[in-house]
Amino acid sequence: MAQKGLNHAHIMEVAVKLVEEKGYDHFSLRELAARLDVRPASLYNHIDGIGEINTAMAVKAAELLNRALTDAIGDREGDEAFLAAARAYRSFADGNPEIYKALIRMPASEDTDIRRAAFASFEPLRAVIKGYGVAERETIHFLRALRSAMHGFVELTSNGFMQRDTIPREETYELLIRGYLNVLKGMAGK
């Protein structure tokens, strides 16, 4: 029953695929072991348990979000960069709902990798905000508020809210992020 070539990286790769297929809340070590054609106990030769997989999933999600924001921003600056990043956030969350859950449920930890990944996930957007000349403390407040608003929108729409056909959700999201852009510009005195 043991699969040749079983290693940590392969286990994590298969775990990500399983989470995408089954859902973040419906994933189990037993299913992972079955997919890898090993006994569940054999996984513990390579991983510490489900907590390690959840951490690895969160780190992977943070890396993917960073890449999505970076790609969206590209060579853009100022308002265009801000709007592109905010749209990319929603697109990432909508396009990767189960991986997004791993990011949102990233455990609060003293683990250096988790803390680094969590910070890095939003670094592209943080850089755009700093480009407006906003002080560090206000940047943190603003980024927290913006992320809360964007996540709230994603969460509400993924749970079936905002379905009225006469008012497209895209228009509502644009209103939301443009409102935050106006707040940012006001903070910067622009």
Side-chain angles (χ1 to χ4, degrees):
M1 186 172 191
Q3 185 183 49
K4 292 181 181 177
L6 186 65
N7 60 44
H8 188 271
H10 183 61
I11 291 169
M12 293 305 168
E13 178 183 317
V14 173
V16 168
K17 288 178 184 173
L18 256 178
V19 166
E20 289 173 334
E21 290 171 20
K22 298 279 188 177
Y24 184 79
D25 296 321
H26 304 288
F27 166 82
S28 73
L29 285 179
R30 184 173 304 283
E31 285 179 300
L32 178 59
R35 181 69 59 97
L36 291 166
D37 195 27
V38 299
R39 289 186 181 95
S42 298
L43 290 175
Y44 290 97
N45 293 326
H46 304 281
I47 62 171
D48 291 333
I50 195 79
E52 182 178 353
I53 291 174
N54 288 340
T55 296
M57 291 291 299
V59 169
K60 176 74 170 175
E63 291 168 356
L64 292 172
L65 177 58
N66 177 288
R67 187 175 316 134
L69 295 176
T70 299
D71 290 349
I73 293 167
D75 293 335
R76 294 176 178 91
E77 294 179 355
D79 298 359
E80 285 184 35
F82 178 87
L83 293 170
R87 290 175 188 135
Y89 179 92
R90 179 174 174 221
S91 180
F92 173 81
D94 287 348
N96 305 283
E98 298 306 321
I99 298 296
Y100 179 73
K101 285 179 187 175
L103 178 66
I104 293 304
R105 296 177 187 168
M106 182 179 277
S109 174
E110 295 302 316
D111 182 286
T112 306
D113 291 338
I114 293 174
R115 293 174 65 87
R116 186 179 307 123
F119 184 82
S121 67
F122 264 79
E123 187 54 33
L125 188 51
R126 182 185 324 275
V128 169
I129 293 166
K130 283 185 176 183
Y132 282 83
V134 177
E136 180 66 20
R137 183 176 179 84
E138 284 70 32
T139 296
I140 292 169
H141 285 309
F142 180 81
L143 194 52
R144 285 176 179 171
L146 174 65
R147 187 172 184 183
S148 297
M150 292 188 304
H151 171 68
F153 188 91
V154 165
E155 190 69 17
L156 286 169
T157 57
S158 71
N159 285 312
F161 292 93
M162 300 184 211
Q163 296 297 321
R164 183 175 269 177
D165 291 339
T166 57
I167 303 173
R169 289 180 286 185
E170 290 70 26
E171 287 179 19
T172 305
Y173 191 72
E174 282 295 311
L175 178 70
L176 173 79
I177 61 176
R178 287 180 182 276
Y180 269 86
L181 177 58
N182 288 336
V183 169
L184 176 59
K185 291 163 90 171
M187 290 169 67
K190 295 180 179 185

